[in-house]
Amino acid sequence: MKKRVLITGAAGFLGSHLCDRFIKEGFHVIGMDNLITGSLDNIEHLMPLEHFEFHHHDVSNFVHVSGNLDYILHFASPASPIDYLKIPIQTLKVGSLGTHNLLGLARVKQARMIIASTSEVYGDPLVHPQTEEYYGNVNPVGPRGVYDEAKRFQEAMTMAYHTYHGVETRIVRIFNTYGPRMRLNDGRVLPAFIGQALRGEDLTVFGDGSQTRSFCYVADQVDGIFRLLMSDYPQPVNIGNPDEITISQFAEEIIKLTGTDQKVVYKPLPKDDPMQRQPNITKSKEILGWEPKVSREEGLKITYEYFKSLPPEKLFKKEHKDFSNYRR
């Protein structure tokens, strides 16, 4: 009898790669997504499989899954700044109501549940690199607060179910992750730069380019998440690549990778955009035996090849989705 796993946000970038991993590990995978930011293209290859099923559902509403359930991975949420600024209430709801619904399901099914938290819980950090013990520097009423506070609440609710109801829970704090199936127009720096290079546009840097990011290839991220879920550690764990780079340096890397000769143009920095982002991964090394294996050079080559293979309608598509039907 195959173990059964529910993955929410299954049609998203990270969710779809998690579906792949659990299929490969021999699980029966139940994917769930309301497709507000996800795309069925990401899981089309899984649809014919006997041990994959898909449910088109918004987890902010009551969630029902028939039969036994061994694991729940809650990865449903807009993660792109462009998306969550356009649908702030849905972002808050999936982090609060969605988490509550799934924790209730985990309790009833006696399933182990892992939530996708984020490095954004640290806000614009005053501690560098960020350890799990750092409480963060977050503006709850700033534009990014809808995402940051949804995730912070999600962690608190998860820990409450763990301590009060004894639900087996895990919390992964995800740092910048990239790879095939990212949306070119999702507002994050890596697909934005590659998309601009492929379209022959100048690369846009916000601020003076001195802010830092660290990028983890998706296969490494998925492996870290899998190991954390299978561990017995209930406290938050950072999963990310500590190899830090400034945005200006990164723009130069992309120009070199793509062989283009665009200029870099500088624009004002958005409000509350974090200046530094680098995970301390001591815990993941010690507890999970995990650290990233894929270098940025290697991961970027794979990602660039994926983006290069996209049809023109995707490459030149500026607007991902009209969210007007969801704004209620």
Side-chain angles (χ1 to χ4, degrees):
M1 186 76 173
K2 282 183 181 278
K3 291 203 165 179
R4 300 174 87 233
V5 57
L6 169 66
I7 300 176
T8 74
F13 160 55
L14 196 46
S16 65
H17 284 283
L18 284 163
C19 290
D20 288 344
R21 174 66 185 260
F22 277 85
I23 288 287
K24 189 178 164 191
E25 296 283 349
F27 286 79
H28 180 90
V29 176
I30 303 157
M32 190 172 281
D33 204 301
N34 67 347
L35 304 177
I36 185 170
T37 59
S39 170
L40 288 176
D41 291 349
N42 292 334
I43 50 172
E44 199 173 16
H45 62 290
L46 298 174
M47 293 298 195
L49 301 182
E50 181 189 355
H51 290 291
F52 180 79
E53 56 184 281
F54 178 71
H55 298 256
H56 184 196
H57 181 69
D58 182 348
V59 297
S60 299
N61 301 315
F62 178 76
V63 180
H64 171 73
V65 173
S66 300
N68 67 300
L69 207 51
D70 297 285
Y71 299 102
I72 298 171
L73 289 84
H74 182 25
F75 280 70
S77 173
S80 144
I82 289 177
D83 290 348
Y84 62 67
L85 293 176
K86 285 184 175 179
I87 42 171
I89 293 167
Q90 286 70 23
T91 302
L92 286 158
K93 283 170 74 173
V94 76
S96 55
L97 301 175
T99 303
H100 187 212
N101 289 334
L102 290 159
L103 284 163
L105 182 67
R107 184 184 173 206
V108 168
K109 300 284 186 182
Q110 296 185 308
R112 181 181 298 174
M113 176 163 153
I114 186 168
I115 60 159
S117 188
T118 171
S119 58
E120 297 297 326
V121 299
Y122 301 123
D124 189 4
L126 304 175
V127 168
H128 195 72
Q130 293 84 58
T131 68
E132 290 86 350
E133 287 70 34
Y134 176 53
Y135 294 159
N137 175 38
V138 179
N139 178 1
V141 294
R144 299 173 78 101
V146 296
Y147 183 69
D148 303 355
E149 296 299 349
K151 293 296 189 180
R152 285 161 71 94
F153 176 87
Q154 186 181 41
E155 288 195 12
M157 174 69 90
T158 298
M159 197 48 73
Y161 263 75
H162 174 74
T163 53
Y164 187 76
H165 287 306
V167 175
E168 280 196 59
T169 57
R170 307 288 181 264
I171 298 171
V172 56
R173 287 183 180 159
I174 296 167
F175 282 69
N176 288 50
T177 303
Y178 70 97
R181 300 183 200 155
M182 285 192 96
R183 279 181 12 230
L184 268 177
N185 60 347
D186 86 346
R188 283 177 275 200
V189 64
L190 189 149
F193 279 178
I194 294 181
Q196 287 171 331
L198 284 170
R199 291 189 296 267
E201 300 166 3
D202 293 335
L203 272 59
T204 307
V205 170
F206 294 98
D208 64 5
S210 64
Q211 67 269 43
T212 68
R213 294 293 181 268
S214 35
F215 300 99
C216 185
Y217 186 65
V218 65
D220 284 334
Q221 182 65 242
V222 164
D223 188 50
I225 291 163
F226 188 86
R227 288 178 187 227
L228 177 57
L229 179 64
M230 298 305 165
S231 78
D232 57 4
Y233 188 73
Q235 297 294 324
V237 176
N238 292 335
I239 300 288
N241 192 321
D243 185 11
E244 189 181 21
I245 185 172
T246 71
I247 297 300
S248 284
Q249 289 169 329
F250 187 57
E252 295 304 324
E253 274 192 12
I254 296 297
I255 289 169
K256 186 180 169 189
L257 169 74
T258 56
T260 50
D261 56 0
Q262 280 92 329
K263 299 195 305 289
V264 176
V265 296
Y266 292 85
K267 293 192 175 176
L269 193 68
K271 184 173 167 56
D272 297 334
D273 194 59
M275 283 304 294
Q276 289 183 301
R277 192 57 91 224
Q278 183 192 22
N280 179 312
I281 59 167
T282 305
K283 274 195 169 61
S284 66
K285 285 180 181 174
E286 291 176 354
I287 295 164
L288 310 177
W290 177 90
E291 60 185 309
K293 295 188 176 76
V294 181
S295 69
R296 193 168 60 246
E297 185 183 14
E298 187 185 345
L300 280 175
K301 275 182 190 162
I302 302 167
T303 308
Y304 177 53
E305 289 304 318
Y306 166 77
F307 284 140
K308 258 202 322 195
S309 73
L310 292 176
E313 63 269 19
K314 284 197 175 178
L315 180 59
F316 288 92
K317 190 176 183 184
K318 298 285 182 162
E319 180 58 64
H320 172 62
K321 228 166 202 179
D322 176 10
F323 292 121
S324 52
N325 290 337
Y326 295 99
R327 292 194 190 115
R328 52 180 190 270

